[in-house]
Amino acid sequence: MATRRQFSREFKLEAVRLVKERGVSVPQAARDLDVHENVLRKWIREAAVGDFRGTQFPETSENGWFSGLDRAYDFR
C-alpha cells in the first residue's frame, strides 16, 4: 500500500507563488513539482483564505496574496 506524501508549508507556499506571481499554469507547475493538479489547486484555495491546516500566512497584500514572501523566501 502506498503512503501519502507530505509537503512542508514552505513547499506549498512556493508552489502557490509559482502559479500566482510567476504566471506558470497550474498543469505545468503540477508537472514540474510532481504533484497532482487538484492538490495544487487545493493549496491555492487554502492560500486564498490564509489557512494551511490552521496556520496563518505571512502578511497579505491588498489583493490577498503574500507581501511577506519576498522577505521570507528568495525566489530570484
Side-chain angles (χ1 to χ4, degrees):
M1 184 169 156
T3 59
R4 203 177 272 224
R5 292 186 295 169
Q6 295 184 5
F7 299 95
S8 69
R9 182 173 181 267
E10 290 79 17
F11 182 87
K12 293 176 183 181
L13 287 170
E14 290 180 30
V16 169
R17 182 151 187 211
L18 186 65
V19 172
K20 288 298 179 183
E21 298 201 1
R22 293 213 174 165
V24 177
S25 71
V26 171
Q28 182 62 51
R31 281 191 299 272
D32 292 347
L33 298 170
D34 192 31
V35 298
H36 195 277
E37 283 182 42
N38 290 341
V39 171
L40 182 52
R41 290 181 198 282
K42 179 182 174 214
W43 294 346
I44 293 168
R45 281 192 314 270
E46 290 173 347
V49 297
D51 182 35
F52 271 146
R53 295 183 186 222
T55 54
Q56 293 299 313
F57 281 133
E59 300 170 20
T60 57
S61 64
E62 59 278 349
N63 65 0
W65 293 102
F66 317 108
S67 61
L69 279 179
D70 290 329
R71 294 187 303 274
Y73 306 100
D74 184 21
F75 289 103
R76 293 177 213 124

